Amino acid sequence: MEIVIVPDAAAGGELIASAMAELVTRKPDALLGVATGSTPLPIYQALAAKVRGGALDVSRARVCQLDEYVGLPTGHPESYRSVVLREVIEPLGLTEASFFGPDGAAEDVAAEAIAYDHALAAAGGVDLQLLGIGTDGHIGFNEPCSSLASRTRIKTLTQQTRVDNARFFDSLDEVPHHVITQGIGTILEARHLVLLATGEAKADAVAATVEGPLSALVPASALQLHPHATVVVDEAAASGLKLADYFRATYAAKPAWQSI
Ligand code: GLP
């Protein structure tokens, strides 16, 4: 795993947006896996700025979802489909035709999850998957003790995750209990995994992910199994890392021509 410690969230967003821009320039129809939550917003803002400024053409890029709530009505503003349309697709000037994800309002949610897993493979696989991290170490909505080989499926949220996400809803009661999430095995099939974590609240989860043992109790630790995983953290999220100085020195010594 490559660990990059950046001064703040904006610098992390810029770094990751630059890597995505480099990918799309090399492979214009790249499939970009996007994450929701507050953390990746600086990435989307930096990417949109590059597009607006004419430095980047994303018109052929494709975008896919990491996870989705189950049971919210179609078009609900906090469904992850709506969030991605609002925060990624529209600012990048893309259309809905270039975007796909699982339907959390499907009649047969289990079948929908399996179909989404197949759709990702049929699309040629994800080129770069963005990830955030939950305070309990989850990626996507793979809560602690998810199988490290899991495929896209329905999951039940922990109370901690529902509380963490309640800020997007009028009340805790409105936060769904169930979700469809790419499985950890599914996520590991992406060609490049890029996890961004910012703020002190993520410091323990980051330390367990990067320096702890591979454990289903910390789903993000599965990144240790991936040949090309990049973890970008700000100083606050890096505060629990024992090897922080080593990670800084390693990144500083990286050749200028090498992207993350
Ligand atoms: C949700 C999403 C995750 C995200 C996490 C953290 O649980 N399913 O993909 O990483 O929230 O969100 P935030 O970045 O807002 O802390």
Side-chain angles (χ1 to χ4, degrees), residues 36-39 66-67 80 132-133 138 140-141 165 167 202:
T36 50
S38 310
T39 310
L66 178 61
D67 48 11
Y80 281 173
I133 187 168
H138 74 242
F141 270 133
N165 289 0
R167 66 188 192 279
K202 301 294 174 66

Side-chain angles (χ1 to χ4, degrees), residues 192-226:
H192 186 191
L193 297 179
V194 181
L195 187 149
L196 176 63
T198 52
E200 209 181 331
K202 301 294 174 66
D204 289 346
V206 166
T209 296
V210 173
E211 296 175 343
L214 174 66
S215 167
L217 201 52
V218 182
S221 68
L223 267 67
Q224 296 174 19
L225 296 170
H226 197 280

Side-chain angles (χ1 to χ4, degrees), residues 98-123:
S98 56
F99 170 47
F100 66 105
D103 180 2
E107 210 165 293
D108 185 341
V109 179
E112 178 69 14
I114 294 168
Y116 185 54
D117 214 278
H118 291 155
L120 291 170

Side-chain angles (χ1 to χ4, degrees), residues 108-212:
D108 185 341
V109 179
E112 178 69 14
I114 294 168
Y116 185 54
D117 214 278
H118 291 155
L120 291 170
V126 176
D127 289 293
L128 186 153
Q129 178 64 56
L130 294 175
L131 298 166
I133 187 168
T135 52
D136 62 2
H138 74 242
I139 48 173
F141 270 133
N142 292 282
E143 296 286 28
C145 292
S146 290
S147 158
L148 299 182
S150 50
R151 309 302 309 179
T152 304
R153 69 213 181 291
I154 187 166
K155 284 293 286 181
T156 304
L157 295 181
T158 62
Q159 186 66 359
Q160 177 66 56
T161 298
R162 292 186 63 246
V163 169
D164 285 349
N165 289 0
R167 66 188 192 279
F168 296 113
F169 294 84
D170 289 337
S171 72
L172 178 59
D173 287 346
E174 285 181 28
V175 183
H177 286 270
H178 296 104
V179 294
I180 296 176
T181 182
Q182 285 191 36
I184 297 176
T186 314
I187 291 170
L188 289 175
E189 284 172 4
R191 294 179 187 90
H192 186 191
L193 297 179
V194 181
L195 187 149
L196 176 63
T198 52
E200 209 181 331
K202 301 294 174 66
D204 289 346
V206 166
T209 296
V210 173
E211 296 175 343

